[in-house]
Amino acid sequence: MANKKPKQEAEDLPRQNRREQLLSRRQQEQMRRLRYAAAAVGGLIGLIVIAALVVEFLIVPRQAVAEVGSTTITLREWQEMVKYQRAQLIYAIERQFEDFVGEEPENREQAEGDALRLIQQFSGQQIGLLANGAEQLGEFVLDQMVDDALIRLGATERGITVSEADVERIIGERYNYYDGGLPTPIPSATPSPQPTPSLTPVGFEAAAAVEGVEPTATVVPGPTNTPFPTATPVSRESFESDLNTDLEGIRAAGGNADLFRQIAANAVYRERLAEALFVEQERPTRVPHTSAFILTYDSQEAADRALADVEGLSYLEVWNRVRSLPAPTPAPEGDEAAEPEPLVEAVERLWLTAEQYNNFLPADVVTALFELPVGAHSQVLRGTDLQTGEERFYILQVSGREDRDLDEFTIRNRQQELLNTWLGEQRVTRVTLYENWRTRVPRTPVLDAFFRNPAPTITPQPTVILATPSPAAGDGETDE
């Protein structure tokens, strides 16, 4: 009986005729085709999405933003370095802010407002770079990476290597850590490179009274440098603590702290290659140094009169008289009618190179200075003041010339100048730059908006002055 019920129900259903059966089959076929089409479209969309993800996360990051010889700088490497630089700037700003605020200020709101104003004053350029200069920062990072790649290629070609010990050394130097010792022996006090004049200046009245008398050259010892205070060696524990604090700070700001050691290694390669190029090109470490007396005037007429005095008396007497003149009196403020006193200046420079003289004298004057015989004076030399751009007139006398060793600071500067010239030449022949990075400049990590907003103005609370109560009647009075 149980088997007959479904059969009975089936018999009760209306039978489909031939036409209805064909129509039903056609509808089923259409539905099947729609499902196949939808599946195909879905599969195609999935393939497109997968392809886009592959391109975005596998292919594009491997694209070259620069080719340096046989080295390729990829988009991913460049983006990681940009993010590191952003994180480093953010960490430096935040740490500087905390240093300005202090640990436990009495009024934290006031202290934070003052610190923010200082940060915006001293680090405004960095804040602007993080907020609105993403492309500028990205281009700077790319240029630096190209230079680093060129330096490594140049070092490899010259057999220069950098060890882990070298990287540790330069990292330690940045934290004043020298394996528990001091960097270099503390120098003893030495004569200043710009001492007081060798001649004793005479009084203005006395100078006028010794007309025609050769002044005696009296050597006055120059001032000495104040000895450096005794430094305390930095311990290994202190160095590692500071280093780890900085690495954690960069990591917390959103940078890849592993790049810290890579950047330190690049600095060692730069230093070694600069030294190698200096030796390779046989640049001298011993060059002519000249000592000289220099008279400076602001008019041709004054300089011509001085030259006539020099030829009638002597250079040193004229120089000493000018040196002994009282300082010019400045015109009172607001007195536009007052004419400025003429410029007359006498200085002595001891044992400087031509490069050092070029920092404050016109090039033609420096050339004449190194061509003059020792003890001879020049004619009036015309030049442009490097500070003001105004015309000046010079009369020189060379008091000494000899070859001397360059100091370490000058040698380092010349090595870096040589390296920069070499990098410029290598960029022309060995570097290919692409523009694909411009649309993919990282803008993260982001500096907190607190540092970009104007510093709040703290309104000081008014001081409430309590009135002193008047003494009550009879207070302080004695009953009679």
Side-chain angles (χ1 to χ4, degrees):
M1 293 297 293
N3 293 332
K4 290 182 179 180
K5 187 174 181 180
K7 183 176 180 182
Q8 183 67 34
E9 291 178 353
E11 290 177 353
D12 293 340
L13 292 173
R15 286 191 168 186
Q16 294 179 330
N17 56 32
R18 182 68 176 173
R19 183 172 177 277
E20 290 174 339
Q21 291 176 356
L22 291 175
L23 181 60
S24 176
R25 290 175 185 173
R26 187 179 303 168
Q27 289 174 345
Q28 292 175 1
E29 182 67 23
Q30 289 176 346
M31 290 298 299
R32 185 167 56 251
R33 290 178 180 179
L34 286 174
R35 285 194 293 270
Y36 288 158
V41 171
L44 181 60
I45 293 174
L47 289 175
I48 292 174
V49 171
I50 292 172
L53 292 174
V54 169
V55 170
E56 183 66 24
F57 294 102
L58 293 178
I59 297 177
V60 170
R62 296 179 182 178
Q63 290 179 346
V65 294
E67 292 179 354
V68 184
S70 58
T71 302
T72 298
I73 300 175
T74 66
L75 183 67
R76 177 185 285 116
E77 293 169 339
W78 168 77
Q79 287 178 328
E80 282 294 309
M81 187 61 75
V82 172
K83 292 177 182 178
Y84 173 86
Q85 293 294 347
R86 291 183 67 91
Q88 190 178 48
L89 288 173
I90 291 171
Y91 170 65
I93 291 171
E94 291 175 344
R95 183 166 182 176
Q96 192 178 28
F97 174 78
E98 291 299 327
D99 290 341
F100 283 150
V101 171
E103 293 184 1
E104 295 181 359
E106 294 182 1
N107 185 335
R108 187 165 190 86
E109 184 180 5
Q110 179 70 48
E112 288 184 352
D114 294 340
L116 180 57
R117 276 185 283 274
L118 289 172
I119 288 291
Q120 292 176 343
Q121 178 182 354
F122 293 110
S123 301
Q125 184 177 1
Q126 290 84 348
I127 293 173
L129 202 61
L130 289 166
N132 305 309
E135 186 169 337
Q136 182 182 354
L137 179 59
E139 188 168 14
F140 169 80
V141 170
L142 181 58
D143 287 342
Q144 187 63 53
M145 293 180 73
V146 168
D147 284 349
D148 290 337
L150 284 171
I151 288 170
R152 292 215 179 203
L153 286 176
T156 300
E157 293 167 354
R158 290 163 177 80
I160 298 172
T161 58
V162 171
S163 65
E164 284 298 316
D166 295 325
V167 176
E168 289 290 337
R169 172 187 62 81
I170 199 166
I171 292 177
E173 288 177 359
R174 294 178 180 179
Y175 289 84
N176 294 321
Y177 171 71
Y178 299 89
D179 200 18
L182 296 173
T184 53
I186 299 174
S188 58
T190 56
S192 168
Q194 296 182 17
T196 53
S198 300
L199 297 177
T200 304
V202 299
F204 186 68
E205 293 79 5
V210 292
E211 194 71 36
V213 178
E214 188 76 18
T216 303
T218 304
V219 177
V220 178
T224 56
N225 296 327
T226 303
F228 292 101
T230 304
T232 303
V234 176
S235 66
R236 180 82 187 179
E237 293 75 14
S238 176
F239 156 62
E240 290 181 347
S241 175
D242 291 342
L243 174 60
N244 290 332
T245 297
D246 287 345
L247 293 179
E248 286 301 322
I250 292 172
R251 192 176 290 111
N256 180 2
D258 294 338
L259 294 174
F260 183 88
R261 295 186 67 83
Q262 177 184 322
I263 294 172
N266 291 339
V268 182
Y269 275 111
R270 174 179 287 269
E271 179 184 285
R272 297 279 174 81
L273 182 59
E275 293 170 352
L277 291 172
F278 195 78
V279 174
E280 197 176 283
Q281 299 195 18
E282 299 180 348
R283 295 299 177 93
T285 58
R286 190 175 180 84
V287 298
H289 288 63
T290 293
S291 293
F293 297 99
I294 305 171
L295 287 167
T296 306
Y297 299 87
D298 60 0
S299 70
Q300 180 77 56
E301 294 76 15
D304 289 340
R305 287 195 300 270
L307 181 60
D309 291 341
V310 166
E311 292 173 346
L313 301 171
S314 73
Y315 183 94
L316 293 182
E317 182 172 353
V318 175
W319 183 93
N320 203 26
R321 287 182 179 182
V322 173
R323 182 73 177 189
S324 302
L325 290 174
T329 304
E333 293 186 8
D335 188 359
E336 299 179 357
E339 295 184 2
E341 295 191 24
L343 171 68
V344 182
E345 186 179 53
V347 297
E348 181 187 17
R349 302 295 184 182
L350 295 181
W351 304 120
L352 301 182
T353 65
E355 182 181 11
Q356 291 169 323
Y357 276 111
N358 279 325
N359 291 328
F360 57 88
L361 286 178
D364 293 343
V365 176
V366 175
T367 300
L369 181 62
F370 277 78
E371 292 176 351
L372 278 172
V374 175
H377 68 79
S378 71
Q379 298 299 306
V380 176
L381 304 174
R382 185 194 304 264
T384 301
D385 188 286
L386 300 183
Q387 298 295 326
T388 66
E390 298 177 352
E391 192 173 45
R392 294 287 181 260
F393 301 87
Y394 303 88
I395 306 175
L396 319 170
Q397 184 181 61
V398 176
S399 58
R401 182 179 294 120
E402 63 183 44
D403 288 347
R404 291 190 169 198
D405 291 331
L406 293 172
D407 59 86
E408 188 66 22
F409 178 77
T410 302
I411 291 176
R412 291 291 182 189
N413 281 344
R414 293 191 175 190
Q415 289 174 349
Q416 290 303 314
E417 290 172 0
L418 186 60
L419 177 62
N420 291 337
T421 301
W422 180 85
L423 285 170
E425 295 169 352
Q426 296 296 307
R427 275 178 168 270
V428 175
T429 58
R430 306 184 72 173
V431 176
T432 302
L433 298 174
Y434 302 100
E435 297 295 317
N436 55 335
W437 61 270
R438 293 191 183 275
T439 59
R440 297 180 176 273
V441 182
R443 286 169 169 76
T444 56
V446 179
L447 179 66
D448 194 300
F450 170 79
F451 294 101
R452 304 195 301 270
N453 296 330
T457 302
I458 307 298
T459 304
Q461 296 296 326
T463 303
V464 179
I465 302 176
L466 298 177
T468 304
S470 301
D475 286 355
E477 297 181 358
T478 305
D479 294 333
E480 294 182 355

